Amino acid sequence: MRSSLIEKVVLSIICAFVFVIFIFPLFWTFSMSIRNPQEVFSYPPRLWPKNPTFANYKTVVLETDIPKYFLNSMILVLISVILVLIISIPSAYGLSRFSFRISSVLIPILLVVQMVPGILISITFFKYSRTLGIYNSLTFLSMTIAAYRSPFITWLLKSFFDTIPRELEEAAMIDGCTRLGALRRIFLPLATPGIATAVIFTSIFAWGDFVFPFIMIDDYKKFPVTVGIFAYTEAKYQVTTHLVATGAFLMVIPALIVFLLLQKYVVEALTAGAIKG
Amino acid sequence: MKRSNALFILPVVLALFLFFFFPLEEIIRYSFTNARLFEKGYSYTLINYKMIFTDPDFLHSLKITVIFVIFSVIGQVGFGLLLGLLFYRMENIGLRYFSLVTRTVIVSAWVLPGVAIGIMWKLMFSDFQFGIVNYFLSHFVFHKPTMISFLSNARNALIIVTVSNIWRGLAFSMLLQYAALKQVPKELYEVASLDGANKLQRFFFITLPCISQQLLINITIATISTFNVFDAILSLTRGGPGKSTEVLSLMVYRSVFSNTDLSYGSAVGVILLIINLLISLMYLRIIFRKEVRA
């Protein structure tokens, strides 16, 4: 009994330590974001500012382009998610329901291509961008992000679709439904949890994507939030630490909210490539 | 089978050709030329590959990358396993809620944009006196004023970059190892205890063999994703000080865009691609071997 109490205490202390290590960067960023510029650089640094103020948030919203970057990122997420679903749902359905001769090659390829570094793909598009009219285009950027994630999503959805019995659609087709009708009325409602995982996975990556917009966009009016706030860290002749902290904290909030509300799907998306064979 | 069924998989096949195979074919082709980023004409040559293996910048970047990857993977998989064990044990002795909260906080690190992670770590590890980590070390560890150059010293910067990458990737390893540990049949432990096996023996002869598959998968995925890290390092150190944290993906960027040397940067990229491909093949072997066995 006593040894188990000691164990409880020791494990709780270790756990608390881990908790602090993982929460601290977020906490510190927030704490920096509610300081005025003088207090950011004051010594000794305080964990919590003496005069907490939300002035930086007001500055960021009213006097910088950061709200515009947020809007761009939201557009980017929206288009990317729609495109990923357009690419991946039919493809995953096809791979799950029919056996093509190329399936045995295609399925491993879907898994392998997610290891291709984004920087390599973006170089080619940069090189062709002016002739193809894709430089500084949020639409083409969304297409690139969607296409880059679609093989993995296709594979993720295929393994989910495999668990939905095909007899259900066949029964509907015998009753006079077309295949598309059966797909829409019977199959898609059952596939919703898998599709939700795909949507969340794509949203998180589209929101945080950096390398594609960094290379393919240089018009600051079209920056997504990642590139826009990174650009602030590059401002050499201005002290922007307090604004950068504010921007960084604002940038992580949407991701954190989605995560906290939809944890189950996030965990599923995160471990999908490893647990299912 | 109806031919029209092939239409279903057409979208992903198109995506693969237009957004993966075509751009990669171009990169491979550029690597065999002398093309510059903003010039039109070029001719084919092997000069990039002749130069690359004697280029001190490349060899340095390769070395940095390998160090970064090896320590990141050891850290991610090692701590992932330790945390998995910690949470597994906590669930068993009635600390379920605390374990759940901490796991949630760890996983939240994974959803953050890489750029934000770089910025957050830069705020903590500021070299100046107002850096919170320096302040903490001065007061609670060394008990004298300390100003460690975390990000302006070559060796320290590489350490911080590696630690931040472990921090970022730990969620994946922890979840994977935790799930694997829960799959180990409890009866095995009971039988082993009856036979007089102690904790260490149970870990090495029951736990490890049971989760070896997940460990291997974890190692390969962590290796590939670490080779490809770009955003977090760029926003934390920009590859500096000097070139001390310039991993291969950053060197590709610098060669192509700062030096406008499209062909040489492409050659570096091709080598990065080959490394990734080899590790991916290992990953596929493990994944599909598992499928046969299951």
Side-chain angles (χ1 to χ4, degrees):
Chain A
M1 210 54 218
R2 247 190 82 203
S3 80
S4 114
L5 184 68
I6 292 171
E7 190 184 3
K8 268 188 186 178
V9 171
V10 170
L11 293 189
S12 296
I13 291 171
I14 297 172
C15 193
F17 182 68
V18 173
F19 181 89
V20 169
I21 286 179
F22 274 85
I23 206 88
F24 190 77
L26 267 179
F27 166 79
W28 185 244
T29 307
F30 178 67
S31 167
M32 291 293 260
S33 75
I34 51 168
R35 288 163 205 235
N36 58 41
Q38 294 81 20
E39 209 177 339
V40 166
F41 301 105
S42 70
Y43 185 86
R46 302 163 61 97
L47 274 181
W48 192 252
K50 207 188 291 172
N51 306 305
T53 161
F54 280 93
N56 295 332
Y57 287 85
K58 207 173 143 197
T59 311
V60 159
V61 171
L62 297 179
E63 291 167 34
T64 72
D65 291 311
I66 290 176
K68 181 131 197 66
Y69 304 156
F70 267 76
L71 189 69
N72 290 337
S73 277
M74 282 181 224
I75 295 171
L76 209 60
V77 169
L78 190 71
I79 306 181
S80 307
V81 166
I82 293 171
L83 289 175
V84 160
L85 294 182
I86 292 175
I87 299 171
S88 300
I89 292 179
S91 307
Y93 183 80
L95 285 172
S96 170
R97 291 306 190 249
F98 314 114
S99 52
F100 301 101
R101 223 177 304 157
I102 56 162
S103 291
S104 60
V105 187
L106 189 56
I107 292 168
I109 287 180
L110 295 179
L111 274 177
V112 167
V113 291
Q114 52 169 334
M115 289 86 175
V116 174
I119 179 92
L120 294 189
I121 294 171
S122 54
I123 290 171
T124 301
F125 289 144
F126 181 87
K127 184 68 183 166
Y128 283 90
S129 56
R130 280 165 193 86
T131 36
L132 293 174
I134 55 175
Y135 195 60
N136 275 330
S137 156
L138 276 181
T139 317
F140 188 74
L141 177 63
S142 313
M143 286 169 69
T144 311
I145 292 175
Y148 187 67
R149 297 295 167 191
S150 65
F152 180 73
I153 298 289
T154 302
W155 178 85
L156 181 95
L157 286 176
K158 183 220 166 257
S159 47
F160 188 84
F161 292 172
D162 285 343
T163 65
I164 300 174
R166 63 173 71 206
E167 287 77 16
L168 293 176
E169 298 144 67
E170 281 161 9
M173 281 160 74
I174 290 167
D175 288 348
C177 252
T178 60
R179 183 170 278 282
L180 286 180
L183 196 70
R184 196 162 57 86
R185 294 206 182 84
I186 311 289
F187 181 80
L188 280 183
L190 289 171
T192 314
I195 294 172
T197 307
V199 168
I200 289 159
F201 186 88
T202 312
S203 311
I204 289 174
F205 276 106
W207 183 260
D209 199 276
F210 178 76
V211 94
F212 290 122
F214 184 56
I215 305 292
M216 292 161 61
I217 303 237
D218 78 343
D219 175 0
Y220 75 95
K221 288 196 201 89
K222 294 191 173 160
F223 280 167
V225 70
T226 45
V227 176
I229 289 168
F230 176 76
Y232 267 87
T233 68
E234 300 243 88
K236 282 181 187 122
Y237 307 106
Q238 252 176 310
V239 176
T240 52
T241 307
H242 54 298
L243 295 183
V244 166
T246 310
F249 193 74
L250 284 172
M251 162 167 43
V252 304
I253 286 178
L256 284 179
I257 291 176
V258 167
F259 167 66
L260 289 174
L261 292 179
L262 302 160
Q263 264 193 65
K264 187 171 92 79
Y265 298 111
V266 174
V267 169
E268 212 154 279
L270 176 50
T271 51
I275 287 177
K276 293 174 207 157
Chain B
M1 190 177 66
K2 278 190 292 179
R3 218 154 240 281
S4 62
N5 287 343
L7 285 176
F8 277 103
I9 57 168
L10 189 63
V12 84
V13 172
L14 274 180
L16 283 174
F17 273 94
L18 294 177
F19 288 87
F20 285 92
F21 301 153
F22 164 68
L24 289 182
E25 177 272 326
E26 288 296 292
I27 293 292
I28 295 168
R29 204 166 57 83
Y30 290 139
S31 76
F32 289 102
T33 68
N34 59 0
R36 313 277 311 175
L37 189 60
F38 296 109
E39 287 164 27
K40 276 229 150 74
Y42 53 78
S43 52
Y44 288 91
T45 164
L46 287 174
I47 186 112
N48 296 310
Y49 289 104
K50 279 185 195 144
M51 264 166 57
I52 203 165
F53 293 105
T54 50
D55 174 11
D57 275 0
F58 172 75
L59 295 176
H60 167 78
S61 177
L62 187 65
K63 189 181 109 190
I64 292 290
T65 311
V66 169
I67 294 173
F68 171 62
V69 169
I70 287 179
F71 284 99
S72 288
V73 172
I74 291 176
Q76 283 180 15
V77 178
F79 284 117
L81 180 57
L82 285 177
L83 287 178
L85 287 168
L86 173 73
F87 296 133
Y88 180 81
R89 186 73 195 146
M90 284 175 74
E91 305 262 305
N92 280 345
I93 58 171
L95 293 169
R96 205 185 132 72
Y97 188 69
F98 194 17
S99 134
L100 186 71
V101 170
T102 309
R103 266 184 292 145
T104 306
V105 171
I106 296 176
V107 179
S108 75
W110 178 77
V111 304
L112 306 181
V115 174
I117 294 178
I119 292 172
M120 291 182 343
W121 279 67
K122 202 175 177 179
L123 289 174
M124 289 193 302
F125 284 93
S126 171
D127 291 355
F128 305 105
Q129 52 184 352
F130 53 84
I132 189 73
V133 176
N134 260 331
Y135 178 75
F136 178 82
L137 291 177
S138 317
H139 281 256
F140 299 104
V141 181
F142 300 121
H143 299 289
K144 60 173 192 214
T146 320
M147 258 171 67
I148 298 175
S149 320
F150 288 113
L151 296 174
S152 53
N153 168 294
R155 196 178 47 116
N156 291 349
L158 188 58
I159 294 174
I160 301 295
V161 163
T162 308
V163 172
S164 73
N165 189 58
I166 294 173
W167 184 88
R168 183 188 191 188
L170 206 49
F172 174 71
S173 299
M174 181 274 291
L175 281 177
L176 203 61
Q177 299 309 328
Y178 177 68
L181 287 169
K182 284 210 292 197
Q183 301 285 316
V184 181
K186 285 214 166 68
E187 298 81 39
L188 288 181
Y189 293 119
E190 286 159 18
V191 173
S193 300
L194 288 179
D195 287 345
N198 63 28
K199 275 190 178 170
L200 270 183
Q201 286 171 323
R202 272 181 279 163
F203 177 74
F204 282 106
F205 296 112
I206 297 173
T207 312
L208 266 191
C210 282
I211 63 168
S212 63
Q213 189 83 31
Q214 257 74 20
L215 275 177
L216 275 176
I217 292 175
N218 194 343
I219 291 168
T220 49
I221 294 183
T223 308
I224 295 162
S225 54
T226 307
F227 264 112
N228 290 342
V229 174
F230 180 82
D231 46 6
I233 301 185
L234 193 71
S235 62
L236 183 55
T237 66
R238 286 176 182 63
K243 287 172 182 157
S244 57
T245 54
E246 189 181 83
V247 294
L248 287 175
S249 62
L250 285 174
M251 185 177 175
V252 172
Y253 169 73
R254 186 178 55 82
S255 309
V256 172
F257 292 97
S258 308
N259 303 348
T260 68
D261 194 343
L262 177 61
S263 60
Y264 191 68
S266 297
V268 178
V270 168
I271 294 191
L272 179 60
L273 195 66
I274 291 171
I275 296 173
N276 280 340
L277 200 64
L278 291 177
I279 307 162
S280 305
L281 291 177
M282 277 168 55
Y283 165 72
L284 282 184
R285 272 188 67 133
I286 301 165
I287 284 271
F288 285 98
R289 191 177 64 193
K290 182 178 140 195
E291 212 169 42
V292 170
R293 210 169 59 176

